[in-house]
Amino acid sequence: MGAADSVRKGPARDVYGQGSNPIDAPQPTFNESHASLRDDYEVSVPDIDTLVTLGQSDHDVYGARLTGGGFGGAVVMVMSAGNARPASQRILAAYRKRTGRRGAVLVPDDL
């Protein structure tokens, strides 16, 4: 069996094949990517799904998705410039209210 024979073939979705540029339209790309990780590959967990849903519903967030290896971990969100800190604080407050747990945020200093 060669290396090509061992490649996992699964339910990948072509989010780039719809004519959208991920740089110009991060929301559909990020959001569809998370949906695929959650639904097709089943590598998300409820807490991550909650954070992603909260992020996707915030007016300053262009897109949100699971990042890393799955089964927990982290969420990456694309936000409008200058709004990362206030948006992340709103999202964390809503997360804590919904789950009773605290989250943590990493925001670059210049955002």
Side-chain angles (χ1 to χ4, degrees):
M1 178 195 285
D5 296 326
S6 65
V7 174
R8 183 180 188 276
K9 295 181 176 115
R13 295 183 188 195
D14 182 11
V15 296
Y16 297 106
Q18 304 303 318
S20 67
N21 180 339
I23 300 302
D24 296 334
Q27 183 175 8
T29 303
F30 263 57
N31 295 346
E32 290 171 10
S33 174
H34 181 75
S36 177
L37 290 166
R38 181 193 63 224
D39 301 337
D40 297 332
Y41 293 97
E42 300 177 348
V43 295
S44 192
V45 296
D47 280 344
I48 293 293
D49 293 336
T50 298
L51 281 169
V52 168
T53 298
L54 291 168
Q56 290 172 347
S57 67
D58 190 279
H59 63 276
D60 285 322
V61 177
Y62 297 127
R65 60 161 289 193
L66 164 71
T67 190
F71 304 108
V75 172
V76 63
M77 297 182 190
V78 178
M79 299 182 187
S80 57
N83 293 308
R85 291 198 191 284
S88 63
Q89 293 309 311
R90 286 191 303 271
I91 293 163
L92 281 182
Y95 176 76
R96 185 163 190 188
K97 184 176 180 180
R98 188 173 294 181
T99 67
R101 290 185 288 282
R102 293 181 185 202
V105 176
L106 300 173
V107 177
D109 288 334
D110 58 346
L111 298 177

